[in-house]
Amino acid sequence: MPRFSIIVPSHGVAGRLAQALDSVLAQSFGDFELIPVCDGPGSPAADVAAAHAERDSRVTPVHSPPSAGLAGARGAGMQAATGAYLLFLDGDDILLPGALAALHARLTHTGDLDVLLFAYKRAPWWEGEPTHPAGPLLARAPSGVFHPDRAPQLTGVQLPAWAAAYRRAFLTEHALAFPEGHFTDIGFGAAVMARAERVAVLRETVVRHHVRRQGNRLYLPGEHHTELLDQAERALALVPRLSAERAHALFDQLFAAVLKTAGHPRRLPAHRRRAFFRRAGTLYRRHRPPGHRTPGGSLGVQHRLLAARAYAAFRLLRGAKEAAVRSGARVPRPRGLRTRLFYRRQLRRPLDPDLAVFCAYWGRGYACNPAAIHAKVRELAPHIRSVFLVEADQAHAVPKDVDHAVIGSRRSWELLARATYLVNNANFAEGVVKRPGTVHVQTQHGTPLKKMGIDQSTYPVVAAQTGSFAKLLGRVDRWDYNLSSNSHSTQMWERAFPGSYEHLEYGYPRNDVYYTATAEDVARVRRELGVPEDRTAVLYAPTHRDWHTGFETGLDLEAFCEAAGEDVVVLLRAHYFYDRGRSRASGRIIDVTSHRSSEDVCLAADALVTDYSSIMFDYANLDRPIVVYADDWEVYRETRGVYFDLMQSPPGPVAHTPGELARIFRDGSHAGAESRRLRAAFRERFCEFDDGRAAERVVRRVFLGEPPEAIPPVVPLAERIPAPAATTLVRS
């Protein structure tokens, strides 16, 4: 009996079938049988399969009529299979070199499994970086053999059938087969995971999935989308046999797919959309698990509308969202013909030697290093006419004395075409032309702990979201200067963003305030934020998780306040991705997510609690207590990628549980001698160039043209005096 039976349906992919079969036959591990499933004798795919069978006795073609569909083809292959484990491979995909050897080694290590799930990469048809969609799901799975109850996110709904090896005896024992119709992987995957008891994962990439130019056939317009509900209904019938957590995960994943189809304007024919939505609503109400919590935000609204079968309201909601997306899509580059022609004309006009354009966080407002440089330009180089670019919905937040333009407007494109100086902490729009004589200053917006730029390419979760690395490097080629706040950053920027720019090791201008602010400034900011007098303000600033779709605090903040002490209040600052202008304040929690200045928030805080956010590097300039709450460090490190082990060189005590975190504050160890020792070493390494004069250095070098030797030197760390903390003032 061979170790593996590899079943390869081939309908419609004869042109790539030879490549798929060759990728199997070239494997270093040879104990397998290869079963191509063809339409019938004489078909193009059958000829390819027959030629391979003549060359290698391990190839055994079988036939299945096109009318039987993918499920029928796989079923025919399963009937012919004799191997211990079954693998499925689409006819235009390939097994990567060493894939079978890796699977065999993993199975040898784990012993017999019902299912072995593995990673795959999704390769664009023409250009662009591959993505790794399975990364977020597999990253959170246990490392050994486990029951699916321990990994409720692995419902079988979100992974294709060819992302796993299945024990043939297990499938036979439970009479598991692919259900007829489209979206068959959903019904099969849910049934498999509902019955599996011994599961493991292999995070090594096994399959390269080729994305067709025309896209996945399943998502082309047509009546077949109604069959998604058939497969969902099959899967929902399994809910009673699942644990509560698995049932909720299965329910949420199924209806995420259903809502995506219901809201897509081109998938379902117009006359089918209302009926699809109402049937989906019936399934939702019939199968909703007890205690199921409706998601937050827009998705939660869609859930409630589906439960009420309120199709008209749902279409109104999705229509508004689609209009917003279309509006946003028009912003990054001059897409309209008139705007393109206008921008082209402006590019022919001479540069304005005294015009500078600033932008921060893709237009989110007047903030960060660009804002600090802008303010210093007005002070030291008043002849420069400075304009800040912002999104339309952020224009109200720009200080009244700051000239600004809305991104995407004709004026914004005129400014971008004629400005001599361009300053940004992210990147300007793809369509912005780098003209001879222009000076691009990339300020960055943090010290890198997590992998950045092209270093993300080997980390599936973030690579899937980054887009084209070729385009990224094209934007890097526009940079003339890149700011750095420490030597670590300089080295990492060189790796992550290779280019011909010059590093300015001047510190981060936004951090100047940590050395120039006075006691009165600290007191004023605390009043503005609503921090009660004589209270200890703990800033809680968690970073973004690439595998999360919404903000999760990761910590019961009210419980933390109660356990940490009567005088503790929490300043909650979520990652700026989740700034929606809504307050999460309650009790002793003050939500400062929407506050324009993270520097003000840091000045107001007596201590910082964060996980892996780069805010720790900036806050360290204040020489105030920092505690790392690392409840998922291993997952973050493996999924996001990091440049150094934070657990080995933290800026203060490390807590792994809410209880540990509360104890650190309750017994005062957050500010004890060991905490000070760790913070001192951290500041020595990462507060190297921040001394309160970074903005001045940038203005003198870039805007005033002073030579490097004339730029003010960095003040030694031991001689710097950070802004005083409020608790220090109270004690004094």
Side-chain angles (χ1 to χ4, degrees), residues 140-309:
R140 292 180 287 148
S143 57
V145 180
F146 59 91
H147 189 279
D149 282 350
R150 295 178 57 200
Q153 77 277 10
L154 299 176
T155 66
V157 170
Q158 294 184 319
L159 290 174
W162 40 260
Y166 309 88
R167 187 165 58 88
R168 186 165 62 89
F170 160 73
L171 298 180
T172 302
E173 176 187 351
H174 294 282
L176 293 170
F178 288 89
E180 294 182 359
H182 294 84
F183 306 98
T184 185
D185 284 8
I186 290 178
F188 178 78
V192 165
M193 293 307 293
R195 291 170 174 83
E197 295 185 357
R198 286 178 54 81
V199 180
V201 301
L202 174 65
R203 295 181 176 89
E204 187 173 336
T205 304
V206 171
V207 172
R208 189 195 73 181
H209 172 58
H210 175 79
V211 180
R212 301 177 181 91
R213 182 183 181 189
Q214 64 273 32
N216 190 324
R217 286 192 292 258
L218 283 179
Y219 301 125
L220 296 176
E223 301 273 353
H224 64 278
H225 285 283
T226 59
E227 297 179 36
L228 174 61
L229 298 181
D230 298 334
Q231 302 294 354
E233 188 166 12
R234 289 188 178 97
L236 290 168
L238 302 167
V239 165
R241 66 185 302 143
L242 304 178
S243 67
E245 196 171 1
R246 290 176 69 193
H248 292 173
L250 176 66
F251 185 87
D252 284 340
Q253 291 176 15
L254 284 170
F255 280 99
V258 168
L259 285 167
K260 188 173 183 179
T261 295
H264 201 290
R266 291 176 295 278
R267 287 187 183 173
L268 280 165
H271 68 281
R272 293 289 189 187
R273 294 172 190 167
R274 185 182 299 273
F276 180 96
F277 187 86
R278 289 187 171 177
R279 182 187 169 198
T282 300
L283 292 176
Y284 187 100
R285 290 187 293 184
R286 181 185 304 158
H287 295 283
R288 185 177 184 180
H292 176 261
R293 296 180 61 183
T294 301
S298 174
L299 181 59
V301 174
Q302 295 176 53
H303 271 246
R304 288 189 285 273
L305 293 175
L306 186 62
R309 302 202 308 173

Side-chain angles (χ1 to χ4, degrees), residues 355-657:
L355 176 60
V357 172
F358 297 79
C359 189
Y361 298 118
W362 305 276
R364 289 186 62 254
Y366 186 78
C368 195
N369 292 319
I373 296 172
H374 175 276
K376 189 60 69 171
V377 164
R378 295 206 295 178
E379 175 188 337
L380 299 181
H383 64 284
I384 298 293
R385 182 167 63 93
S386 302
V387 184
F388 229 91
L389 298 186
V390 294
E391 293 281 10
D393 60 354
Q394 295 296 324
H396 69 280
V398 179
K400 295 186 182 303
D401 61 341
V402 173
D403 188 11
H404 68 274
V406 173
I407 292 177
S409 66
R410 286 170 67 89
R411 185 181 182 227
S412 72
W413 286 110
E414 178 183 4
L415 293 167
L416 288 168
R418 301 201 59 211
T420 296
Y421 305 99
L422 296 170
V423 182
N424 206 326
N425 72 351
N427 264 305
F428 285 100
E430 197 73 41
V432 172
V433 175
K434 166 71 167 169
R435 296 181 65 181
T438 58
V439 178
H440 284 235
V441 181
Q442 169 58 252
T443 74
Q444 304 293 350
H445 52 271
T447 290
L449 166 61
K450 62 188 178 185
K451 291 294 180 74
M452 302 292 290
I454 63 171
D455 287 341
Q456 299 173 344
S457 62
T458 56
Y459 289 85
V461 177
V462 289
Q465 303 172 26
T466 301
S468 169
F469 288 102
K471 290 182 178 179
L472 170 65
L473 292 176
R475 294 189 291 270
V476 170
D477 287 341
R478 298 188 303 208
W479 302 354
D480 293 291
Y481 298 107
N482 183 50
L483 291 191
S484 176
S485 58
N486 46 64
S487 298
H488 161 80
S489 293
T490 303
Q491 296 168 12
M492 297 310 105
W493 297 144
E494 287 181 358
R495 286 179 42 180
F497 304 112
S500 58
Y501 53 82
E502 178 182 346
H503 286 287
L504 297 181
E505 292 183 319
Y506 290 171
Y508 278 158
R510 71 181 184 189
N511 292 344
D512 287 352
V513 69
Y514 297 144
Y515 297 98
T516 61
T518 64
E520 290 74 16
D521 294 325
V522 173
R524 172 185 53 77
V525 171
R526 285 170 69 94
R527 286 194 301 271
E528 291 175 355
L529 296 179
V531 179
E533 291 187 12
D534 301 334
R535 292 295 184 95
T536 298
V538 176
L539 172 59
Y540 177 55
T543 192
H544 167 61
R545 301 295 196 278
D546 296 272
W547 59 91
H548 286 173
T549 57
F551 174 66
E552 301 176 18
T553 62
L555 188 65
D556 186 334
L557 298 178
E558 290 286 359
F560 166 74
C561 288
E562 291 296 329
E566 295 181 357
D567 67 331
V568 172
V569 296
V570 169
L571 302 176
L572 169 62
R573 189 168 181 85
H575 192 278
Y576 59 80
F577 284 175
Y578 308 116
D579 178 9
R580 300 294 182 268
R582 299 188 302 270
S583 174
R584 303 175 183 87
S586 64
R588 291 156 67 180
I589 313 303
I590 303 172
D591 191 341
V592 295
T593 301
S594 297
H595 189 77
R596 177 183 63 81
S597 170
S598 62
E599 296 77 56
D600 280 359
V601 172
C602 288
L603 285 173
D606 302 297
L608 169 67
V609 173
T610 187
D611 39 26
Y612 326 117
S613 170
S614 64
I615 199 172
M616 72 178 79
F617 301 97
D618 305 309
Y619 191 82
N621 284 285
L622 290 168
D623 199 15
R624 302 178 191 175
I626 302 174
V627 178
V628 175
Y629 179 56
D631 61 331
D632 61 352
W633 169 249
E634 294 302 326
V635 173
Y636 187 87
R637 179 170 64 176
E638 182 172 350
T639 306
R640 187 59 176 86
V642 295
Y643 285 114
F644 67 93
D645 190 347
L646 181 64
M647 301 302 103
Q648 297 300 315
S649 52
V654 177
H656 298 282
T657 66

